[in-house]
């Protein structure tokens, strides 16, 4: 077997008189920070949400039962050691942070009860996203590589928008994907079904 | 003048009988969130830091005067309406947030006095980065596009590492760049000068 | 008006005795290469295609009239000075190049006549993509920034897959978008309409 | 062991009555295209070059012996089954392709003899880059993931610029790195040594 890491150096030195520089053996800064390695990860997309947009009433009706289902799924994931990652819009609050967004939505938002049920816990990861896909302009991909995730379980709001955008981006990055129908909501059941059939 | 946005639709309809779909006129989600448009932005890189690594003593010696210079520069930027953006390592704390990191470093870190001087204020933006460059796997580029930034003033720690990596990435994205020598520190003066001459 | 590019240097020198390094005034390597600046760009997605997959018969039926429509649209774009950009799958041919793919598809593919009609010309740009979205792991975004494109006209194959993925990614990057129904095809009319209504 | 891929579906169906959608088992489009899996890859950066810039004389003097060393290294890599990847500037030729750039540089460039020695062969991969780093706005990262590369051997022109930018980006992506001093050149020996000591 050819081990370039050794022979290149050795041969290089012998044959070409070269100085072969070697970078430190990987950057391990983040290894300590992502100890919960597991093949899967559970993503909760935009569940911390004040649903402050037109027609949110419809969505809210579906969101409550979804939150209960999702909490059960989260508990099972935690028991199994599956990392739980909140991937949430920053709602344009570039100067604020996630904890503050959670407090705001838990107190004032129209989806208070959803947010209270799904309030992030100390053991949860979170990633703030500025746009629809959880992969666009975020640390999600780097975090997932450190967690050595191969399979993503996608849940959240809205099935036909942010969940779908994230699913597409995950698909291009070759993750195995599950989208759970009873942990995903869209404005209408029809839109949700259509999105699920697409993703 | 050819206005494709109009004629394509019109002609399309007339000539090809086509239905031309149009997406909503840009996604303006973030416009409200980045009102401080200015051609320049001031970046403070990794100044929230506990300097918990070998040989940090050296760096600390330079960091204190740097912090005082940088605070003056920050005040001038604020007066001039130049957005101030903290671009800071998350130190592998994927489950924590920036405010908490600030508190930790202000209380326990070896660079307490630096952190206290440069503690982020309500009006400051911040971007957490998982690696050396402020552009790698972060929202920085998206934020700068919304701020319509053309020129970056880079400051912080360490001049020959994270500041330099960020400068290289900014350069490839065609930002005008300033790196201020008295607001940047490296382990040694020689390394700092070498990095400045490179960037 | 505050001109940080000047005063920072001046003040910095005067007040802090600092050496302020300045990078060269933007990297203009590519400016010469993208002279066809126009607010719009016409994207032809995966039209160079051998349609070598199951059920392609269906798609082929729609692809021929699409190719004629698209050629007319391309001619109008060229007259108007709108850059024409082929954004095409490399079909896993990492060792080959686009010209060779064109020749292959023009001679042997099932969509020979489509490819012949839409064969790229000297004045056309092209970007090879390894996955579905034209923005994923390609130079497209950099090229569009150099062209100063604000509006994208999306055409090609397949409306409910690569065109849709590209539309989503363009949307997150705040381009204005047009998707022309008679220059886009999917396996079935229903899928195409559904994709158009989504994008 | 918890197998989310199975139980999520099963339990989901049983307990929540959910329809769980599953994406196809990874996108394998590219697997066929990158059969040369090996832990290492040899990168030749900007060796196809007409050295058409001021002071290139200096660099040319070093480039010729480098080309001979590099050819030997390439032959050894080929024998060992190590993928050889040309990562080359497109020199702003967005409308041309790599083969044409090679022909141009082999005939007219000042580094004709370098280019002739290192002319890409059928078995070599190539990636065009628009900027300094081989990772910026290119397919390189995707290709390396498909090749399952863990270690990069960096060679080429110029050691203190494109090779260094690529090394930094590779480092942030956690590749093991080798930079071979006698297969890398910069304008001056001093700059090359400095870059090697940095990377």
């Amino acid at each position: 077997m050819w081990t370039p890491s050794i022979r290149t150096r050795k041969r290089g030195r012998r044959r070409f008189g070269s100085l072969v520089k070697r970078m430190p053996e990987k950057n391990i800064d983040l290894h300590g920070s992502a100890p919960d390695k597991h093949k899967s990860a559970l993503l909760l997309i935009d569940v911390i949400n004040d649903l402050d947009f037109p027609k949110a009433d419809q969505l809210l009706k579906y969101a409550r039962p979804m939150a209960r289902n999702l909490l059960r799924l989260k508990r099972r994931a935690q028991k199994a050691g599956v990392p739980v990652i909140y991937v949430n819009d920053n709602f344009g609050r570039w100067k604020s942070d996630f904890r503050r967004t959670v407090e705001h939505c838990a107190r004032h938002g129209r989806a208070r009860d959803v947010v209270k049920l799904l309030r992030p816990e100390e053991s949860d990861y979170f990633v703030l996203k500025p746009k629809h896909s959880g992969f666009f302009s975020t640390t999600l991909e780097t975090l997932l590589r450190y967690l050595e995730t191969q399979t993503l379980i996608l849940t959240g709001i809205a099935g036909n928008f942010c969940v779908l955008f994230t699913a597409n981006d995950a698909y291009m990055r070759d993750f195995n994907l599950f989208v759970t129908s009873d942990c995903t909501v869209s404005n209408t059941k029809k839109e949700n079904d259509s999105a699920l059939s697409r993703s």
Side-chain angles (χ1 to χ4, degrees), chain A residues 5-184:
Chain A
S5 55
I6 308 289
R7 292 211 198 161
T8 304
R9 281 171 84 184
K10 293 266 175 70
R11 288 206 180 177
R13 273 174 183 153
R14 203 176 56 229
R15 296 181 51 177
F16 310 140
S18 67
L19 164 78
V20 180
K21 280 296 304 182
R22 188 166 186 193
M23 298 281 279
E25 270 281 358
K26 287 206 181 189
N27 165 9
I28 55 162
D29 288 1
L30 298 184
H31 277 294
S33 68
D36 310 337
K37 291 197 201 316
H38 193 286
K39 283 192 177 172
S40 301
L42 176 65
L43 265 54
L44 287 78
I45 299 172
D46 283 348
V47 297
I48 306 305
N49 209 314
D50 60 5
L51 293 186
D52 186 15
F53 54 84
K55 295 199 192 172
D57 283 341
Q58 275 177 281
L59 205 151
L60 196 53
K61 197 177 64 183
Y62 298 115
R64 283 174 189 137
M66 178 213 73
R68 287 189 295 268
N69 293 336
L70 186 42
L71 183 60
R72 269 179 288 174
L73 185 59
K74 184 182 167 183
R75 291 288 172 249
R76 288 199 286 133
Q78 288 170 325
K79 267 190 203 162
V82 171
V84 173
I85 308 174
Y86 285 74
V87 180
N88 215 89
D89 212 286
N90 67 357
F91 300 109
R93 307 272 164 217
W94 294 90
K95 298 175 177 179
S96 183
D97 56 33
F98 189 43
R99 306 283 175 200
R100 209 177 286 192
T101 299
V102 173
E103 289 322 304
H104 169 80
C105 293
R107 278 182 210 160
H108 308 291
R110 304 176 64 192
R112 286 190 295 280
D113 39 356
V114 169
V115 173
K116 280 177 198 164
L117 269 179
L118 297 174
R119 190 193 288 269
E121 295 155 293
E122 284 289 316
S123 60
D124 299 331
Y125 294 91
F126 61 86
V127 168
L128 285 177
K129 65 181 177 65
K131 295 278 189 163
H132 313 88
S133 165
F135 287 92
F136 180 74
S137 213
T138 74
T139 56
L140 183 58
E141 187 160 6
T142 300
L143 175 59
L144 295 176
R145 299 244 179 255
Y146 274 95
L147 292 170
E148 300 180 2
T149 307
Q150 297 171 17
T151 298
L152 293 176
I153 305 160
L154 301 184
T155 67
I157 301 167
N160 61 335
F161 216 42
C162 289
V163 176
L164 183 61
F165 273 59
T166 305
N168 288 348
D169 267 358
Y171 181 57
M172 288 196 291
R173 285 155 180 83
D174 296 315
F175 289 98
N176 296 315
L177 287 181
F178 288 89
V179 186
T180 317
S181 70
D182 56 1
C183 298
T184 311

